[in-house]
Amino acid sequence: MPTEQIISPLSKKSVVLAECLDCGQQTPYSPNLIACPSCNGQWLEARYDFQAIGPRLPGLLARREFNLWRYRELLPVTEMNPSLCMGEGGTPLISATNLGMMLGCPNIFIKDERQGPTSSFKDRQAAVNIAALKEAGITEAVLASTGNVAIAYSAYAARAGIKLWAFLTSLVPAEKMREVAIYGTQVVKVTASYDQAKKLAAEFAHQRGLYLERGSRSIPSVEGMKTIGYEIVEQLTTLLKPDQELNATPWIAPDWYFQSVSGGLGPLGVLKGFYELRQMGLIERIPAIGCVQVEGCSPMVQAWKQGKDVADPVISPRTHIATLSTGDPGRTYTLLRQRMGMGGGGTFESVSDEDTFRTMHVLAKMEGISVEPAAAVSFAGLIKMARAGMINPTDVIVMNCTGHTMPIEHTILGEGWSRNVALPTQTQAGQARQETPEEGLLAALSRVTDDRYANVLVVDDTEEARRLIRRILQSQGNYAISEAINGHQAIEMAKSGKPDLIILDLMMPDLDGFAVLDALKADADTAPIPVIVVTAKDLTQEEKSRLTGRIHSLMQKGEFMNDEFLEEVRGLFK
Ligand SMILES: [Zn+2]
């Protein structure tokens, strides 16, 4: 917007300072600055003139496009370079209504980072880094990656004409490696752990005098990530307080921010964003951070649970989710732990590969969002913590949802995911000329519907409850589900449809669940059908005795997502 250049003296940039985390020395930032000139410390962080920028920021943002460059006064790049931009940042914040209902937490939002230029939140890191390198005249760079960083960097490096060397461990899926290569990046496949690949990349860069991407120690990487935090509070404010003008503050910060964690750069950057927003008086509190790792590579979780300030490296990660296999988080963990302690708190939690794969199904079937396993890890962590009562039902929760939709591997989908139709070939059809071709087609189609799905009748007078049970069942297996909206209809449908299972609400107007049960048990046709009763209220002794021996099990509403409920259902159909 040309007028803005005139209005805002900030566009012509205040100096970005790099502050040493060890001695506090401040030095003007440049990508070539990799250590503190005073103490040689390698951990530097960007500082800005928050007093000058803070009061003006809401007004500036109101006039800008929704991408990460709207925060340019707070990024380590002097001038935006439009020729490099691909619409990075500015991803939607989506309400996870069904997941929220399932967990009893209605305020879950998904920050859909899949919608970045290369479909992962690493686009932010790459966009800011490559812009900073281009500005400094750097033409060649080196990185090590478990996949997505290399893909994002490769795309931006290609646009900028920067030669990139990507050291990838042999565990990186071949599809990702090929995607890195198509951008013209030189792929170096390292048959070793990710930590070893990182060391090799560092040695290579050192020998050749090339720029090295250093994760949490690279200022543009942290600064790129922090824009997620900025966007979240702007979007939450718009969604939750639609009447508030955006340039009115304070903005709304979430209670929780969840992310899958490998090296920890993501949450470290996002947390820095929240701290800056508070420093500028734009938000009032720092969110709690949920850092979720896979059990097979969870050095941070282990250190956190033992109250340690330094994480012991995991030497041999044991997980199918190679994207999250940083065995040695180094100082990033220590910084995260300290900053979580100073702010809104949070926790480190781990989940199994199996829970993660299951969560991928839940997320896809309930929210229409298909993610790669690495991204599903944070959602599996949320589900685990919600079940353990660690999340307050009124909490506003934002989930970082990133990563490619990978080719879905066999281990994730399991058996029986497709139904196959084989039509007779021309020759076969010719040999069986008496048979009409339609018969061949019909016979093939009838085989498609031959597999019998377990037939479940859901009886509940509230539509929301029926929908929730339907979604939960559908997300967990193949069920043919029918619904009855009152007791009379339930009895009728049980007689005519002969379901394999009835899920019955007790509290219904007119004919309640007890009366329905009496009618079902009095009829020889419907008496054998197993019944799972769900109820919202605590039952009296007398009520319980009316159910004893007549139902398969009794569940409290709100317990739907318990493994117990699903085990009960699955157990009935073994
Ligand atoms: Zn220093």
Side-chain angles (χ1 to χ4, degrees):
M1 211 174 285
T3 48
E4 188 190 310
Q5 299 293 326
I6 303 157
I7 296 165
S8 165
L10 295 168
S11 308
K12 276 293 164 198
K13 208 62 191 183
S14 50
V15 179
V16 181
L17 296 170
E19 183 179 292
C20 173
L21 294 185
D22 292 311
C23 73
Q25 166 87 27
Q26 291 191 334
T27 315
Y29 168 73
S30 117
N32 293 309
L33 178 75
I34 55 165
C36 167
S38 174
C39 76
N40 204 34
Q42 298 224 338
W43 289 78
L44 307 169
E45 256 188 5
R47 300 283 180 256
Y48 305 83
D49 187 352
F50 296 116
Q51 276 192 327
I53 299 169
R56 308 194 45 141
L57 192 61
L60 289 173
L61 295 181
R63 299 196 297 272
R64 288 183 178 167
E65 275 184 53
F66 197 58
N67 62 53
L68 67 76
W69 297 107
R70 68 199 264 100
Y71 312 109
R72 48 188 172 266
E73 286 79 8
L74 296 157
L75 292 172
V77 176
T78 309
E79 291 289 345
M80 263 183 79
N81 185 340
S83 71
L84 299 182
C85 296
M86 290 194 280
E88 47 279 358
T91 57
L93 189 70
I94 302 164
S95 173
T97 315
N98 298 312
L99 187 68
M101 259 206 289
M102 181 179 91
L103 296 175
C105 303
N107 298 310
I108 301 175
F109 296 91
I110 295 173
K111 183 65 172 157
D112 192 4
E113 290 288 296
R114 297 175 311 160
Q115 301 196 34
T118 74
S119 318
S120 94
F121 76 128
K122 306 291 188 183
D123 284 326
R124 297 174 187 266
Q125 175 185 357
V128 178
N129 257 295
I130 294 292
L133 297 191
K134 186 79 180 165
E135 197 169 74
I138 293 169
T139 57
E140 202 167 342
V142 180
L143 57 77
S145 168
T146 53
N148 293 348
V149 171
I151 292 170
Y153 260 82
S154 295
Y156 284 94
R159 277 183 92 75
I162 290 174
K163 169 149 181 75
L164 190 66
W165 297 81
F167 286 66
L168 304 176
T169 83
S170 47
L171 295 174
V172 171
E175 293 85 353
K176 288 201 186 209
M177 279 200 197
R178 289 197 289 267
E179 192 174 348
V180 173
I182 199 171
Y183 291 111
T185 296
Q186 180 59 59
V187 174
V188 183
K189 190 168 154 185
V190 183
T191 307
S193 72
Y194 175 47
D195 292 321
Q196 288 167 308
K198 272 200 288 196
K199 286 198 182 101
L200 206 60
E203 183 55 34
F204 178 83
H206 178 70
Q207 279 180 9
R208 298 204 168 198
L210 298 178
Y211 179 85
L212 174 71
E213 151 66 40
R214 297 176 308 146
S216 304
R217 289 174 299 157
S218 287
I219 280 184
S221 299
V222 176
E223 299 301 291
M225 290 307 183
K226 83 178 181 189
T227 58
I228 298 175
Y230 278 76
E231 287 180 16
I232 287 171
V233 299
E234 280 198 71
Q235 288 172 304
L236 274 182
T237 307
T238 310
L239 284 168
L240 299 177
K241 279 193 181 173
D243 298 332
Q244 176 173 321
E245 293 282 331
L246 195 57
N247 55 11
T249 54
W251 292 332
I252 298 174
D255 296 289
W256 279 96
Y257 171 76
F258 273 85
Q259 181 158 0
S260 311
V261 171
S262 182
L265 164 66
L268 191 70
V270 175
L271 200 48
K272 182 174 190 276
F274 289 134
Y275 271 108
E276 290 181 357
L277 286 158
R278 193 178 64 174
Q279 199 174 342
M280 291 184 282
L282 298 173
I283 60 172
E284 288 173 330
R285 54 158 190 206
I286 303 293
I289 308 293
C291 295
V292 190
Q293 297 199 292
V294 271
E295 278 171 10
C297 187
S298 55
M300 300 197 199
V301 182
Q302 290 168 32
W304 174 263
K305 296 204 162 155
Q306 292 162 21
K308 285 184 178 173
D309 203 35
V310 177
D312 296 324
V314 169
I315 305 299
S316 311
R318 287 176 197 284
T319 169
H320 290 105
I321 307 169
T323 315
L324 297 183
S325 56
T326 300
D328 184 3
R331 190 168 174 179
T332 304
Y333 163 71
T334 306
L335 287 172
L336 267 174
R337 182 172 183 265
Q338 283 167 357
R339 290 175 185 185
M340 281 159 63
M342 284 156 36
T347 194
F348 290 83
E349 190 53 82
S350 62
V351 294
S352 66
D353 283 13
E354 291 70 30
D355 280 346
T356 303
F357 296 157
R358 201 138 67 103
T359 302
M360 287 174 71
H361 287 263
V362 170
L363 203 56
K365 288 171 183 166
M366 295 191 87
E367 297 294 346
I369 289 179
S370 169
V371 296
E372 71 170 282
V377 162
S378 66
F379 288 88
L382 169 69
I383 292 172
K384 183 176 179 180
M385 285 173 60
R387 283 183 190 164
M390 294 166 74
I391 308 285
N392 191 325
T394 58
D395 282 350
V396 175
I397 300 155
V398 174
M399 307 300 297
N400 180 310
C401 175
T402 183
H404 286 227
T405 296
M406 288 288 296
I408 302 295
E409 289 163 41
H410 183 73
T411 46
I412 294 164
L413 218 46
E415 301 291 339
W417 54 272
S418 75
R419 299 174 153 223
N420 304 319
V421 180
L423 290 178
T425 63
Q426 287 301 328
T427 335
Q428 285 167 336
Q431 280 163 356
R433 202 170 286 281
Q434 294 90 331
E435 221 178 296
T436 62
E438 284 76 17
E439 271 177 336
L441 181 63
L442 287 178
L445 281 177
S446 75
R447 280 195 297 278
V448 174
T449 47
D450 249 2
D451 295 352
R452 211 173 91 73
Y453 281 176
N455 198 333
V456 181
L457 174 62
V458 177
V459 187
D460 202 306
D461 59 312
T462 57
E463 194 195 336
E464 202 178 58
R466 292 196 303 273
R467 185 164 64 121
L468 178 59
I469 294 173
R470 174 184 281 275
R471 282 180 185 283
I472 291 170
L473 289 174
Q474 281 176 340
S475 75
Q476 299 291 324
N478 290 323
Y479 300 101
I481 298 162
S482 46
E483 298 176 14
I485 63 169
N486 60 45
H488 297 288
Q489 197 185 14
I491 295 165
E492 216 170 274
M493 289 175 72
K495 277 186 188 164
S496 61
K498 299 278 172 51
D500 301 300
L501 166 68
I502 297 172
I503 296 177
L504 177 65
D505 180 30
L506 279 185
M507 300 307 136
M508 293 184 291
D510 193 13
L511 206 61
D512 68 8
F514 293 106
V516 172
L517 196 60
D518 288 340
L520 292 174
K521 294 301 166 188
D523 184 324
D525 282 346
T526 54
I529 302 172
V531 177
I532 293 179
V533 163
V534 287
T535 177
K537 71 165 218 164
D538 290 326
L539 300 183
T540 62
Q541 251 339 302
E542 194 212 328
E543 285 170 329
K544 277 185 189 162
S545 65
R546 286 181 69 186
L547 300 176
T548 308
R550 313 180 75 198
I551 64 169
H552 179 79
S553 61
L554 175 68
M555 310 294 305
Q556 276 308 117
K557 275 187 182 170
E559 284 180 346
F560 289 142
M561 200 43 205
N562 282 357
D563 284 331
E564 204 187 327
F565 172 69
L566 295 163
E567 285 306 317
E568 295 282 358
V569 174
R570 275 196 286 263
L572 278 166
F573 300 122
K574 273 195 179 133

